[in-house]
Amino acid sequence: MSPVRRRTALGVGLLAASLLVSQGQTTSAAADSRPGIVVENGVTQPVFGYADAIREHVWVDAPFDSDHDGVMDQISVDIMRPRATERGLKVPVIMDASPYYSTLGRGNESELKQDTDGDGLLDKWPLFYDNYFVPRGYAVVLLDMVGTHNSTGCPTTNGTPDNLSAKVAIDWLNGRGTARDADGHVVASPGWHNGKTGMIGKSYDGNLALATAVTGVRGLSTIVDIAGPSSYYDYTRKNGVVTRSNHYVASIANTVTDPDRREHCAPVRDEISAADGDATGDYSAFWEERNYVKDAAKVRASVFMVHGLNDDNVRPDHFSQFWTELAKHNVPRKLLLSQEGHVDPFDFRRTAWVDTLHRWFDNWLQGVPNEIMKEPRVDIERAPDVFESYRDWPVPGAKETSLWFQPGEVAGGPTGLSVKHAKGHPADLTFQDNPSQTETQMVSDTSNVGPNRLVFLSEPLTAPLHVSGTPVVRLNASADQTDTNLGAVLVDYGPQTRVSWETSGEGIKTLTTEDCWGESSPSDDACYKQTAKNIVTGDRERVSKGVMDALNRNSLTTPEPLVPGEKYDFSLPLLPVDHVFAPGHRLGLIVVGSYRSYSSVADPTRANISVTTKISNFQLPLVGGHQAASRAGL
């Protein structure tokens, strides 16, 4: 490892290093004249140039042929590193692997890669990572996923070639692969690399970071996953219900392919569409290939996850299911949960995010002992720009607590929710599935339930009620058809000011002013438009939701038709949540059949569904459990 210079001591053991720096010496022997990073106040400092940084472009040989043309694919890699690496500086790599560099672009301003002078080297680098981290002693790598931009082959939307695109580059960085320049000459593995790589990215890019981590590749030291899908089945389906149809997987592959290669890659997309199972929504080997949760035990890297609790694109079950597996295997980890939708933390918590990310990479890639891993593991946005810290997630003390359905006080009105069992004989409540019912209709006007839903509503709460984890609706129910969908919504009824995640911008608005993060060159500035929170005060908020195909009540792979009129036990998980219901608010659970705004294809049976209320219940992960529910008057 290259020597490290520290301007400010980080502890008693580093005092000598600080004194040496004040005399113009490095922390190693005076005879060692290699340049080193500089650490002040626990973080690396921008002591290396940006405008004079070395820019390179190589193609890494891949062990797969995604387009079946008889030639192994090549993965395009753009590299920027401090010029001091030519004089012995050893640096880690921060890598953003993406399929979007020439199509949708990256970040809030949709930046694309640009080679403005035609010399084959990037002049415009998307995002701020290069501007900020290269001067601090990092190399930044922007990798084109297979079949996108300058990489050869065809995208497979989280198929094996996509999943291995970054791994082959990390193997090359660590001397286990080959790369070539524009003339086809072999490029040796870089001597400037310190052996550590960190991956970062939002959405598909975060997905590629997860995919690389579960390979267990040596040399990947950390990943920062910002709202990346951890299982593509759960991105396009849920519990047997198709939530994105019309061969959505192939459509994504088409979107990220450059227009001049779309015809060439059409046969690959046809293969994807033939295997995706749009007609059933069942789980298959096609989806198993695109599931990273099952391989979480292979992760060697630390993991920093970021997710919006109101993300309706990559829903929060993607972080929760992977996070749960990481915990089982004691993987070093950190979590940031926001109230926004599908938004990068650079755009909802910019200053704090850059500081946290800086310390995270310094710790895991540069070995700077800044004690970030001794801080609380989890930060959660509780109200607009109000964050609270916790030791873990779900929040410690959360316990599964049963809320039982109570008789309604008014005919045609809502029924109740309580920790107490309802008295009297079991009662059945019946409603008819209406596939055209909107979510607004589902959650509005709870005083008049109507024929197409069940409404369970608590009394006004007398104390705060903190839900942290995955709620589950347990229904004992029958239908008069052989198939039906089931849906449920958890709603907070009561006035509150919150992030307006349902409007354009998913909780943020982009301003005309800019601020700068890092250093600039004539072709690439470090400045980005600032953002502000979109805030709204409303009388209700959807907290969570869930869907299920009754055919898949026991298995995602094997559908089982219902016997009309026969009772079954259904366990319907909602999306994970971390929400505090305020005193005076009412907790509402809405049960429906088809859920139009969640699933792309409604069930056509229009079944009549009967629920046995005395046997059914709502399992809520409450911080404080039964006692907290009782204090809140449930």
Side-chain angles (χ1 to χ4, degrees):
M1 182 177 291
S2 62
V4 178
R5 291 179 287 151
R6 293 182 170 85
R7 289 177 177 162
T8 301
L10 304 180
V12 175
L14 298 179
L15 179 59
S18 181
L19 293 174
L20 284 173
V21 169
S22 70
Q23 298 169 16
Q25 301 177 35
T26 67
T27 58
S28 60
D32 187 350
S33 60
R34 293 179 299 165
I37 61 171
V38 172
V39 174
E40 181 178 353
N41 297 325
V43 292
T44 51
Q45 298 298 306
V47 297
F48 305 102
Y50 177 77
D52 69 343
I54 296 171
R55 293 154 173 81
E56 298 170 298
H57 185 198
V58 300
W59 286 262
V60 182
D61 295 328
F64 45 77
D65 175 14
S66 61
D67 56 0
H68 315 309
D69 66 353
V71 179
M72 291 300 180
D73 298 335
Q74 291 186 311
I75 305 301
S76 170
V77 176
D78 290 288
I79 303 167
M80 186 189 298
R81 56 186 171 93
R83 184 158 294 277
T85 53
E86 295 289 275
R87 296 185 288 110
L89 177 68
K90 299 277 190 178
V91 298
V93 163
I94 295 173
M95 177 188 294
D96 187 347
S98 178
Y100 292 135
Y101 285 127
S102 60
T103 50
L104 300 184
R106 304 313 299 129
N108 190 40
E109 298 175 42
S110 301
E111 290 188 308
L112 300 171
K113 285 184 174 181
Q114 294 181 29
D115 172 15
T116 56
D117 57 12
D119 65 354
L121 301 178
L122 278 191
D123 298 298
K124 178 65 176 177
W125 290 63
L127 306 175
F128 77 100
Y129 306 137
D130 53 305
N131 308 90
Y132 189 85
F133 285 105
V134 169
R136 288 168 167 80
Y138 291 83
V140 170
V141 166
L142 303 186
L143 179 146
D144 299 329
M145 189 190 79
V146 65
T148 66
H149 197 32
N150 287 316
S151 291
T152 64
C154 292
T156 57
T157 314
N158 300 119
T160 298
D162 286 20
N163 297 340
L164 295 181
S165 293
K167 178 183 182 297
V168 300
I170 293 172
D171 280 336
W172 170 70
L173 286 168
N174 288 276
R176 301 187 299 269
T178 57
R180 302 176 191 278
D181 61 19
D183 296 322
H185 301 139
V186 172
V187 179
S189 294
W192 48 260
H193 186 222
N194 76 351
K196 296 181 179 182
T197 294
M199 292 186 67
I200 186 171
K202 177 196 168 194
S203 199
Y204 207 139
D205 302 16
N207 172 264
L208 293 174
L210 291 171
T212 309
V214 299
T215 68
V217 61
R218 288 176 289 122
L220 180 61
S221 298
T222 190
I223 67 168
V224 180
D225 161 41
I226 304 169
S230 61
S231 167
Y232 223 69
Y233 177 86
D234 289 325
Y235 184 65
T236 60
R237 288 97 171 86
K238 195 62 185 177
N239 298 316
V241 176
V242 177
T243 58
R244 290 178 169 96
S245 61
N246 298 321
H247 302 301
Y248 187 85
V249 180
S251 175
I252 287 291
N254 186 64
T255 297
V256 302
T257 304
D258 285 7
D260 61 354
R261 287 183 56 81
R262 285 176 181 165
E263 183 177 353
H264 172 75
C265 290
V268 176
R269 297 195 300 275
D270 290 342
E271 290 177 9
I272 291 172
S273 293
D276 65 12
D278 256 10
T280 66
D282 297 337
Y283 193 83
S284 65
F286 177 88
W287 301 108
E288 184 80 352
E289 181 183 358
R290 292 160 171 81
N291 178 7
Y292 312 132
V293 180
K294 71 180 191 308
D295 293 323
K298 300 177 183 177
V299 174
R300 299 169 181 246
S302 62
V303 179
F304 193 165
M305 304 192 82
V306 181
H307 219 104
L309 287 165
N310 295 303
D311 191 338
D312 259 348
N313 181 354
V314 182
R315 302 178 190 96
D317 51 332
H318 288 278
F319 94 78
S320 66
Q321 57 194 0
F322 200 81
W323 178 264
T324 298
E325 291 303 309
L326 294 177
K328 288 180 182 178
H329 300 288
N330 296 314
V331 174
R333 61 200 184 278
K334 191 170 179 64
L335 178 64
L336 172 60
L337 298 176
S338 78
Q339 289 295 316
E340 284 69 38
H342 199 58
V343 180
D344 193 292
F346 187 72
D347 297 311
F348 69 72
R349 201 189 188 195
R350 185 167 296 182
T351 299
W353 170 244
V354 174
D355 173 72
T356 303
L357 184 66
H358 186 179
R359 291 183 296 117
W360 180 266
F361 280 147
D362 276 357
N363 179 77
W364 287 103
L365 301 179
Q366 298 279 18
V368 176
N370 53 29
E371 299 190 341
I372 192 170
M373 296 307 292
K374 294 183 180 180
E375 297 174 1
R377 183 174 284 159
V378 179
D379 285 339
I380 302 174
E381 188 174 18
R382 188 60 61 211
D385 290 321
V386 177
F387 288 82
E388 296 180 356
S389 298
Y390 299 92
R391 288 190 293 108
D392 211 337
W393 193 89
V395 169
K399 300 176 182 178
E400 294 296 332
T401 307
S402 297
L403 300 187
W404 299 91
F405 303 147
Q406 307 294 311
E409 295 182 1
V410 179
T415 57
L417 282 171
S418 174
V419 292
K420 300 176 181 178
H421 284 270
K423 297 179 181 179
H425 298 290
D428 279 4
L429 294 177
T430 300
F431 65 97
Q432 184 179 27
D433 178 20
N434 178 4
S436 64
Q437 183 175 222
T438 66
E439 183 179 89
T440 299
Q441 292 171 327
M442 289 158 56
V443 302
S444 300
D445 189 15
T446 57
S447 63
N448 181 17
V449 172
N452 305 123
R453 58 177 178 164
L454 300 181
V455 177
F456 304 96
L457 195 62
S458 76
E459 293 297 319
L461 300 176
T462 56
L465 197 65
H466 187 176
V467 183
S468 182
T470 300
V472 179
V473 182
R474 301 191 186 280
L475 298 177
N476 180 261
S478 64
D480 64 357
Q481 303 291 326
T482 58
D483 183 22
T484 188
N485 284 355
L486 293 170
V489 198
L490 173 60
V491 185
D492 183 342
Y493 290 102
Q496 190 165 350
T497 299
R498 57 181 174 84
V499 174
S500 182
W501 50 267
E502 295 177 288
T503 55
S504 176
E506 301 189 57
I508 66 163
K509 55 186 174 183
T510 303
L511 307 177
T512 58
T513 55
E514 290 186 335
D515 54 13
C516 303
W517 298 87
E519 299 184 17
S520 301
S521 70
S523 61
D524 190 320
D525 69 51
C527 303
Y528 291 86
K529 291 180 179 178
Q530 295 175 304
T531 63
K533 293 286 172 76
N534 269 329
I535 298 173
V536 65
T537 299
D539 291 331
R540 68 170 184 265
E541 179 179 9
R542 188 197 77 205
V543 176
S544 188
K545 61 182 181 178
V547 289
M548 168 185 283
D549 186 342
L551 296 180
N552 296 102
R553 63 194 179 278
N554 295 319
S555 170
L556 291 179
T557 60
T558 307
E560 301 174 51
L562 302 171
V563 175
E566 184 171 323
K567 293 287 187 182
Y568 298 92
D569 290 323
F570 298 94
S571 182
L572 171 57
L574 305 189
L575 295 173
V577 63
D578 203 285
H579 182 84
V580 177
F581 291 80
H585 287 209
R586 305 181 83 172
L587 185 153
L589 174 67
I590 317 298
V591 176
V592 297
S594 297
Y595 196 152
R596 174 180 167 183
S597 66
Y598 198 154
S599 57
S600 59
V601 179
D603 193 285
T605 64
R606 293 182 176 268
N608 290 293
I609 302 165
S610 295
V611 175
T612 305
T613 57
K614 192 163 185 179
I615 301 175
S616 305
N617 63 56
F618 187 26
Q619 296 282 319
L620 270 183
L622 298 181
V623 178
H626 191 281
Q627 290 183 339
S630 297
R631 284 194 299 270
L634 289 176

